[in-house]
Amino acid sequence: LDVIFVVDASGSMKSNDPEGIALEMVKAFVDTIHADDISVGFVAYNDKIVSASIPITMAEQVNRENLKDLIDTTIYSGNTDIGLGLTEAYKSLQISGDKNSMIGLISDGATELRGSTTGRNDDTQGEDVAEVIRHWQDQTIPAVIIAFGPHRGDAGDLQPNTKSISDVHYV
């Protein structure tokens, strides 16, 4: 099984997750996995890819520590491009091969590219979200959204683009 966490590292998460609970949740998951047949990957995004790791086995302590060190480098800042984060996760799963896969999207859901210097906009990121979801549906890859923030993570922003995603959990 390949599990990949896609974590919103935008500036809005700084106020919706001031204690960094999202990142600590991923690290706690990494600490609990010790099986040879389970690999964990990580993508942190804002309007750029902040950091990423293809799924790697958690059977070795050094791999768990390296992944947690990568997660620890994540700082909440910038705009939000969910499409970019999901596309990177999809590419990472393709690189890791033909295994069962699962995606965990952790976000406050507020897509915001106004003022971004990347050249992307809400339309292009929305197209990316739709395309990735089509691929996931074709490959029956389950995904879970964990929505952060006092506004229920603006889950309404996530749901229209991700209605095929299996479940939404609010934090």
Side-chain angles (χ1 to χ4, degrees):
L1 174 66
D2 282 348
V3 178
I4 192 157
F5 289 94
V6 185
V7 178
D8 180 347
S10 67
S12 60
M13 284 291 284
K14 191 184 303 184
S15 56
N16 286 325
D17 182 23
E19 291 90 27
I21 294 169
L23 301 169
E24 292 303 317
M25 285 181 353
V26 177
K27 289 178 8 183
F29 183 86
V30 166
D31 280 337
T32 64
I33 302 301
H34 298 274
D36 289 335
D37 58 349
I38 299 177
S39 296
V40 180
F42 177 74
V43 173
Y45 68 92
N46 49 36
D47 58 348
K48 300 172 191 75
I49 299 301
V50 175
S51 58
S53 169
I54 64 169
I56 55 175
T57 181
M58 293 292 105
E60 299 172 22
Q61 180 68 24
V62 68
N63 290 351
R64 286 193 299 279
E65 294 305 320
N66 288 341
L67 185 55
K68 291 188 316 184
D69 288 347
L70 177 69
I71 293 166
D72 281 339
T73 67
T74 304
I75 297 171
Y76 294 152
S77 67
N79 294 357
T80 308
D81 189 340
I82 294 172
L84 182 67
L86 294 178
T87 299
E88 183 70 19
Y90 179 71
K91 289 177 188 175
S92 293
L93 290 175
Q94 297 304 302
I95 291 169
S96 68
D98 189 24
K99 296 180 182 177
N100 290 326
S101 301
M102 180 178 175
I103 287 82
L105 172 62
I106 303 173
S107 176
D108 62 5
T111 297
E112 179 57 59
L113 288 170
R114 203 175 355 183
S116 174
T117 59
T118 64
R120 291 176 52 86
N121 60 45
D122 290 348
D123 290 338
T124 55
Q125 83 80 32
E127 291 166 7
D128 286 349
V129 169
E131 182 177 338
V132 168
I133 288 173
R134 277 193 299 278
H135 289 299
W136 290 349
Q137 287 174 324
D138 291 345
Q139 298 170 19
T140 61
I141 297 173
V144 174
I145 300 171
I146 301 171
F148 269 77
H151 307 292
R152 291 292 183 220
D154 293 332
D157 290 348
L158 291 169
Q159 277 306 111
N161 291 327
T162 56
K163 53 188 156 187
S164 68
I165 289 182
S166 59
D167 206 356
V168 177
H169 298 276
Y170 301 103
V171 177

